[in-house]
Amino acid sequence: MLVVMQAHATEEQVCAVCKQIESFGYRPHAIPGAQRTAIGITGNQGEVEVGNLEEMPGVAELIRVTKPYKLVSRDLKQENTVIRFPATDAAIGGRTLAIIAGPCAIESREQAFAVAERVQRAGAQFFRGGAYKPRTSPYSFQGLGEAGLKILAEIRERFGMKIVTEAVDSESLELVERYADVVQIGARNMQNFSLLKRAGRSPKPVLLKRGMSATLEEFLMAAEYIMSEGNYSLVLCERGVRTFADHTRNTLDLSLVPAVQRLSHLPILVDPSHGTGKRNKVLPLSRASVAVGADGLLVEVHCDPDHALSDGAQSLYPEQFDSLMDEIRLAIEKDNSARPCRLYRGRALLDLSRPGAAQLSSRIPRIRLCDQRQE
Ligand code: PEP
Ligand code: MN
């Protein structure tokens, strides 16, 4: 159930409705939007008892939500969610493309600083690197733990990038939220419901990766777990799913991006590194991710990938990351100006200065991302 408030409803009226919902034994989630505030109701097992809600001052209407997820859905909030970071212009969602780059794992201070220096110079606003690594083999490198988090915090101080790093259980989440700016929940934990609930009580934004065999609905339900605990700063990330295809590590499902954007207000990123597992596929799939309308990219970069302790085969050399950023910057900057812009397929595929190209481009999501999406 969703309570939609009138456009001019006051804060007191919103509060009164929330209190009333609490008195029924449910949990209210007031989400302000550009036009109106909507209040999601969770905590009900079956039908919501609405009592006198509809008659309360400031209430426009009650809407029954038929989908199993409510808080992540566009029914609750029509505008796209933008996650902002105090005292910086870094954001996830909205007009800018968020670029999160760094090594798979923090291996040492020297290794992490060397990568950070390069990705920051290339224009990344977010630095990634695992201090806790969920590995297929228990004998593989498991990460430096808190020592790795301390290195990440130093990198934020030194380079000004925001830190994104994974928590693998409640214990590590406690530490990750203390040191990092964004708490990552990995593919293997997408349905670890106790961890999702704990992340939902974190004061930090959460980046939730799609499980490797999760359907769209399962993915959105996992996000709903986090939001239902009160954390509305949530970012989704497609990272490839398991299929029979064996030419890549996973099959990057770019069709998820517009599917999520149709149903949910949450930002959706793409990780072409884990999504392909192969360095030479990361640039082409990054282009495709931007073209399909993703809100950003998560990319692994290493200065010496041949000796990386994890995921070397999919990690870009810094020079390759420079090229990726150059291409993307070119596409975005041209998009944001009224000048002719191009979509990329190796070389320019579509030159908007050509007659008729503008009409064609209006049907291409990436152009919509840059030109028409509201913040
Ligand atoms: C990662 O981003 O470091 C990672 C382990 O990814 P995933 O959870 O998608 O496998
Ligand atoms: Mn990795």
Side-chain angles (χ1 to χ4, degrees):
M1 183 65 70
L2 195 61
V3 182
V4 178
M5 301 299 290
Q6 291 163 353
H8 57 266
T10 64
E11 224 167 276
E12 289 72 37
Q13 289 171 336
V14 173
C15 268
V17 173
C18 288
K19 284 219 177 81
Q20 188 74 332
I21 293 168
E22 276 166 357
S23 76
F24 297 152
Y26 307 133
R27 182 165 180 177
H29 302 264
I31 312 280
Q35 311 295 337
R36 42 60 159 182
T37 292
I39 307 171
I41 303 177
T42 61
N44 55 304
Q45 299 293 328
E47 283 277 289
V48 174
E49 281 298 327
V50 294
N52 65 337
L53 283 181
E54 202 156 12
E55 278 75 52
M56 288 186 73
V59 172
E61 59 174 332
L62 304 191
I63 298 177
R64 203 167 294 282
V65 182
T66 48
K67 299 184 191 88
Y69 43 86
K70 316 171 192 188
L71 305 177
V72 304
S73 93
R74 286 216 187 261
D75 296 334
L76 181 72
K77 183 167 178 258
Q78 285 149 6
E79 306 82 31
N80 299 318
T81 288
V82 181
I83 317 283
R84 298 188 194 281
F85 296 84
T88 63
D89 59 358
I92 306 179
R95 286 178 179 280
T96 54
L97 198 67
I99 305 293
I100 303 172
C104 179
I106 302 302
E107 300 168 9
S108 67
R109 194 171 178 281
E110 294 65 37
Q111 169 255 11
F113 267 65
V115 182
E117 198 268 317
R118 293 299 303 262
V119 299
Q120 192 253 3
R121 186 144 41 100
Q125 287 177 309
F126 298 87
F127 186 74
R128 61 146 291 141
Y132 299 90
K133 294 308 302 176
R135 304 299 301 280
T136 307
S137 162
Y139 311 118
S140 301
F141 175 61
Q142 304 285 315
L144 296 181
E146 189 171 5
L149 295 175
K150 287 185 175 158
I151 294 170
L152 286 166
E154 267 191 72
I155 285 175
R156 177 182 38 229
E157 284 304 303
R158 170 79 180 277
F159 298 100
M161 289 180 286
K162 297 287 160 195
I163 302 299
V164 181
T165 193
E166 180 169 350
V168 291
D169 49 29
S170 298
E171 219 180 321
S172 55
L173 202 151
E174 204 82 35
L175 287 168
V176 164
E177 68 186 358
R178 209 181 300 157
Y179 288 97
D181 301 289
V182 178
V183 178
Q184 181 172 318
I185 304 288
R188 289 156 194 80
N189 274 316
M190 192 207 80
Q191 283 186 316
N192 180 340
F193 299 118
S194 59
L195 185 60
L196 297 179
K197 284 188 179 175
R198 175 61 186 80
R201 294 194 293 275
S202 176
K204 294 287 169 70
V206 174
L207 188 159
L208 177 66
K209 298 189 89 175
R210 181 187 184 183
M212 47 191 100
S213 62
T215 63
L216 170 60
E217 185 166 306
E218 287 164 344
F219 192 22
L220 292 178
M221 290 309 291
E224 184 83 10
Y225 255 94
I226 295 172
M227 286 191 83
S228 68
E229 292 294 322
N231 190 346
Y232 308 130
S233 296
L234 189 53
V235 183
L236 305 175
C237 182
E238 159 63 25
R239 48 78 72 206
V241 288
R242 277 276 164 86
T243 67
F244 55 84
D246 58 3
H247 60 283
T248 50
R249 178 178 176 186
N250 293 293
T251 297
L252 192 62
D253 178 13
L254 292 182
S255 71
L256 187 87
V257 173
V260 163
Q261 287 172 341
R262 196 165 69 85
L263 297 172
S264 175
H265 52 84
L266 295 174
I268 167 99
L269 311 180
V270 174
D271 169 358
S273 302
H274 295 88
T276 65
K278 298 202 171 157
R279 185 179 305 134
N280 64 13
K281 307 266 183 305
V282 173
L283 177 57
L285 269 301
S286 296
R287 289 185 192 121
S289 305
V290 174
V292 84
D295 291 294
L297 300 171
L298 187 147
V299 179
E300 288 188 343
V301 182
H302 199 289
C303 293
D304 183 11
D306 292 341
H307 296 103
L309 296 183
S310 61
D311 288 350
Q314 67 193 33
S315 299
L316 294 185
Y317 289 97
E319 300 71 36
Q320 293 177 307
F321 184 67
D322 289 342
S323 309
L324 186 154
M325 290 299 285
D326 283 347
E327 278 204 27
I328 284 171
R329 193 175 297 109
L330 197 60
I332 297 299
E333 279 175 4
K334 290 206 168 188
D335 261 356
N336 281 342
S337 75
R339 293 196 311 269
C341 70
R342 293 161 197 273
L343 280 180
Y344 286 91
R345 184 167 170 263
R347 293 257 160 248
L349 174 70
L350 176 63
D351 184 341
L352 287 195
S353 58
R354 271 189 4 227
Q359 286 94 313
L360 181 61
S361 76
S362 68
R363 300 205 300 272
I364 298 174
R366 184 180 64 88
I367 304 296
R368 187 174 59 78
L369 169 81
C370 300
D371 290 344
Q372 288 166 23
R373 293 178 90 189
Q374 320 123 316
E375 300 221 355

